[in-house]
Amino acid sequence: LSRPGAGGFAGAQGVYPKGREQYWQDVVGYLKETWPFWAHSGGRDHIIVKMGDHGACESPRGKGIPEVIDPAVLISNWGLHTDTRGVPKEKWPYHDMGPCFRPGHDINVPAPQQHKLNDSPYIRDRETSRTTILQFAGKTAWGPDKDFYSNGVRQKVYDAHARRKNYKLVKFGPPLDMATSKFCLAPSGLGFGDRLPLVIAFGCIPVIIQDNITQPFETELPYHLFSIRVAETDIPQLPAILDAVTPKQLELMQAALRCVWPRFMWSSVYGASGPETGADDAFATLLLGLRQRRDLQEGLPAPQLFPKESASIEEQNCNDADLGGNKCCPKAHGQPTWQPWPPGAEGKSRVLESWFGLRIP
């Protein structure tokens, strides 16, 4: 579990001022001197958790994954899988970075969103009327380098489409707006974005405009069944792309969301927000991803959540209980196995205790 974070390597005042490369050299050196496991496998069966806006590319930005930890499986929130070093900033604002993620080797996990789901139709167990076509509420710039933020996507979508009828693109808005929208923009931020699991938990079809960036569990889940990918160059055509989705296609995608939304929630870790049991949550999906990688290394058939990857939801007979007869699509009803977070100060205290080991009386 990597410490320090991004600021820990900065300058003489950093937590580890010798720099990121030397930090990982020292970490692996300590592992080799203390235990036999790294030498036994060459690090292939080791897991490194590297959170932060740019995951393995942090501190300093742009150097990719350090060679010394290359054999290990990296778990992070940032899925940039392309080397953009040397790409002009004018062509791609997320320039001079990567690759920070290797699809099929590393695992991209969703950011926790349990504390924001009170108005989710899945939590309230009632569907809402979805009259808004596209929704987004959030910042369109951050700091002096506004073009870098979200790779310029938020800015371009807002400038091109904010005034369209039934488009709700604002800087601030209640979470309930996601529950009354058909599609929701799921962009990145300074690095990884936290909108994707949130809009999924509100039953809103995520519109992903993140070129060269693998999404959370995208290598484990069939994103083509419940999301829409739009190239950054196609932002001007976004209304036509959304209008081309038929009512039947929309219905099938929403059915898929009802299947997969618990897999983006860390219910067995932080507590359930509502009816999810925790049995098929993000932690369970992470373990399945790790098992896939282990079995592939050993030449075994890798377990699959969705064996017929190219099949449509209709062909797989998806419903709330299962998908194609596989135990991959939990029934999101009934009593939760894990208790929801208590409100107010007690809930905040549990967050601090769970994340940082701090207990506030």
Side-chain angles (χ1 to χ4, degrees), residues 6-323:
F9 301 104
Q13 302 303 316
V15 176
Y16 210 87
K18 290 189 289 185
R20 184 185 68 152
E21 300 293 331
Q22 188 59 49
Y23 168 80
W24 286 115
Q25 291 283 354
D26 291 349
V27 166
V28 173
Y30 175 79
L31 293 176
K32 289 179 177 179
E33 292 176 4
T34 309
W35 296 285
F37 309 116
W38 187 281
H40 177 73
S41 66
R44 291 188 304 275
D45 57 359
H46 283 60
I47 300 165
I48 294 176
V49 180
K50 189 69 183 78
M51 300 307 172
D53 282 316
H54 300 136
C57 284
E58 285 197 337
S59 311
R61 180 168 65 86
K63 289 194 174 182
I65 299 171
E67 183 178 355
V68 69
I69 61 170
D70 185 75
V73 175
L74 303 181
I75 298 174
S76 72
N77 302 124
W78 181 232
L80 177 65
H81 55 73
T82 301
D83 189 346
T84 66
R85 288 171 287 183
V87 177
K89 175 182 174 182
E90 295 74 22
K91 185 176 181 181
W92 214 60
Y94 278 155
H95 67 294
D96 198 26
M97 184 193 303
C100 319
F101 180 85
R102 300 156 297 180
H105 185 99
D106 304 320
I107 301 180
N108 189 349
V109 297
Q113 295 290 353
Q114 256 77 357
H115 58 297
K116 300 179 182 178
L117 304 185
N118 288 341
D119 292 319
S120 164
Y122 300 144
I123 303 303
R124 292 175 174 266
D125 199 22
R126 66 171 182 267
E127 187 53 81
T128 54
S129 176
R130 298 184 182 270
T131 55
T132 300
I133 297 176
L134 180 66
Q135 184 273 350
F136 175 74
K139 296 182 179 69
T140 55
W142 184 277
D145 195 353
K146 67 176 184 178
D147 293 332
F148 179 80
Y149 191 68
S150 80
N151 206 34
V153 167
R154 301 187 188 199
Q155 301 88 313
K156 293 174 184 176
V157 172
Y158 185 87
D159 291 344
H161 307 302
R163 294 175 180 82
R164 291 187 181 274
K165 184 179 180 180
N166 293 329
Y167 278 52
K168 190 173 289 188
L169 307 175
V170 296
K171 293 184 178 180
F172 302 98
L176 188 61
D177 285 348
M178 291 180 285
T180 57
S181 302
K182 298 176 183 177
F183 303 98
C184 290
L185 187 65
S188 57
L190 282 174
F192 76 88
D194 61 3
R195 290 302 192 292
L196 183 85
L198 189 60
V199 302
I200 286 175
F202 275 80
C204 191
I205 307 299
V207 177
I208 303 168
I209 311 178
Q210 299 186 42
D211 291 2
N212 304 311
I213 299 173
T214 301
Q215 298 302 296
F217 294 142
E218 189 172 359
T219 54
E220 287 72 44
L221 299 175
Y223 266 64
H224 64 288
L225 299 182
F226 59 81
S227 69
I228 292 180
R229 273 271 190 180
V230 177
E232 294 177 13
T233 54
D234 289 336
I235 288 176
Q237 288 75 48
L238 183 57
I241 293 172
L242 299 183
D243 289 345
V245 178
T246 67
K248 181 61 176 178
Q249 289 173 325
L250 184 65
E251 178 185 348
L252 292 173
M253 295 177 82
Q254 289 170 338
L257 285 183
R258 286 193 293 273
C259 288
V260 302
W261 78 270
R263 293 195 174 275
F264 290 86
M265 300 293 111
W266 297 90
S267 306
S268 62
V269 179
Y270 300 125
S273 299
E276 72 269 33
T277 66
D280 295 283
D281 71 339
F283 186 72
T285 309
L286 169 60
L287 292 183
L288 180 119
L290 291 172
R291 181 183 169 192
Q292 288 176 331
R293 284 147 179 80
R294 180 204 66 183
D295 289 353
L296 286 172
Q297 280 189 7
E298 297 179 358
L300 301 173
Q304 297 290 327
L305 278 175
F306 300 85
K308 295 189 293 182
E309 293 183 1
S310 62
S312 69
I313 301 171
E314 197 168 32
E315 291 170 334
Q316 295 196 46
N317 189 28
C318 177
N319 55 55
D320 280 350
D322 64 82
L323 190 59

